[in-house]
């Protein structure tokens, strides 16, 4: 399979939602940063869009952050959610193996990944 590159800094899952009130009840809403990243991911993800991997899969991910503060585990869920949104995968619970690496690149934050059905 091909390596897909998505440019932009992955927002942290812990900072990607805010509490809003609808009809007096609290609920979670996406932040503008998360919505923008999801839209950018959709536009850039051309190799795997509509791949519809229904079975088990594994992935290798390289995350290039603009600074050292970000956590890999927070980025992982965002990336998996985006992969479901672009229909690259049917469900992230079919992931059997993830190899994820963290790098620093202040000038060009991005995510590079390969999906492989198993």
């Amino acid at each position: 399979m091909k390596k897909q590159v998505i440019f932009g800094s992955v927002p942290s899952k812990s900072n990607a939602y805010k509490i809003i009130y609808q009809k007096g009840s609290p609920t979670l809403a996406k932040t503008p940063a998360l919505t923008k990243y999801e839209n950018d991911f959709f536009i850039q993800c051309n190799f795997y869009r509509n791949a519809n991997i229904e079975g088990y899969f594994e992935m290798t991910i390289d995350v290039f952050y603009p600074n050292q503060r970000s956590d890999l585990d927070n980025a992982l869920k965002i990336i998996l959610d985006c992969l479901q949104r672009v229909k690259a995968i049917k469900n992230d619970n079919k992931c059997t193996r993830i190899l994820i690496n963290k790098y620093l690149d202040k000038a060009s934050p991005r995510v590079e990944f390969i999906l492989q059905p198993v």
Side-chain angles (χ1 to χ4, degrees):
M1 296 298 266
K2 293 184 177 184
K3 181 184 283 190
Q4 175 70 64
V5 179
I6 305 294
F7 292 98
S9 189
V10 182
S12 168
K13 180 78 172 179
S14 60
N15 296 326
Y17 294 91
K18 59 184 174 184
I19 297 173
I20 63 169
Y21 290 88
Q22 291 183 333
K23 298 179 184 176
S25 298
T27 188
L28 289 178
K30 294 177 184 178
T31 62
L34 176 58
T35 300
K36 181 182 181 332
Y37 186 80
E38 287 178 334
N39 291 337
D40 290 348
F41 192 103
F42 186 85
I43 291 166
Q44 294 179 55
C45 188
N46 54 355
F47 295 144
Y48 294 104
R49 185 180 299 130
N50 296 318
N52 288 316
I53 299 171
E54 290 189 25
Y56 294 105
F57 67 95
E58 59 186 34
M59 61 190 309
T60 303
I61 309 170
D62 295 328
V63 183
F64 295 81
Y65 287 110
N67 57 54
Q68 188 63 36
R69 294 184 309 236
S70 302
D71 294 334
L72 280 175
D73 58 334
N74 286 324
L76 183 59
K77 187 62 180 160
I78 299 286
I79 294 166
L80 288 168
D81 289 349
C82 286
L83 288 170
Q84 284 184 192
R85 183 172 180 250
V86 300
K87 298 184 175 156
I89 58 174
K90 178 114 176 154
N91 195 319
D92 60 9
N93 72 0
K94 298 290 186 181
C95 188
T96 60
R97 182 172 185 252
I98 300 170
L99 174 60
I100 187 166
N101 300 297
K102 179 178 180 177
Y103 301 99
L104 296 178
D105 188 343
K106 189 174 188 172
S108 184
R110 65 194 179 280
V111 173
E112 299 178 359
F113 62 89
I114 299 172
L115 296 176
Q116 184 68 44
V118 293

